[in-house]
């Protein structure tokens, strides 16, 4: 069965300081999958801060 990798969550956990191994263990995905997400994000220049939308006060 193919599982959907939660790329946003991987980036959030990295921003919180978790290692690739810790992210993989906590999300029950392979270290290679985590590494691929992080490598793709680094190549694209995307960080967690770029994804988070600040809440606006209306």
């Amino acid at each position: 069965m193919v599982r959907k990798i939660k790329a946003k969550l991987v980036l959030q956990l990295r921003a919180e300081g978790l290692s690739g191994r810790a992210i993989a263990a906590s999300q029950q995905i392979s270290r290679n999958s985590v590494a691929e997400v992080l490598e793709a994000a680094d190549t694209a220049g995307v960080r967690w801060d770029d994804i988070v939308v600040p809440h606006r006060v209306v």
Side-chain angles (χ1 to χ4, degrees):
M1 174 199 241
V2 176
R3 293 181 53 175
K4 182 177 177 183
I5 298 172
K6 299 171 187 157
K8 287 182 182 180
L9 183 57
V10 170
L11 293 177
Q12 178 184 5
L13 294 173
R14 178 172 69 168
E16 292 175 5
L18 272 69
S19 68
R21 186 179 297 256
I23 294 168
S26 70
Q27 299 306 306
Q28 298 178 342
I29 56 178
S30 74
R31 292 189 325 240
N32 288 338
S33 295
V34 172
E36 287 178 15
V37 169
L38 297 178
E39 184 177 328
D42 289 343
T43 300
V46 177
R47 297 183 351 234
W48 175 244
D49 296 339
D50 300 327
I51 297 171
V52 176
V53 178
H55 296 286
R56 292 188 298 164
V57 177
V58 180

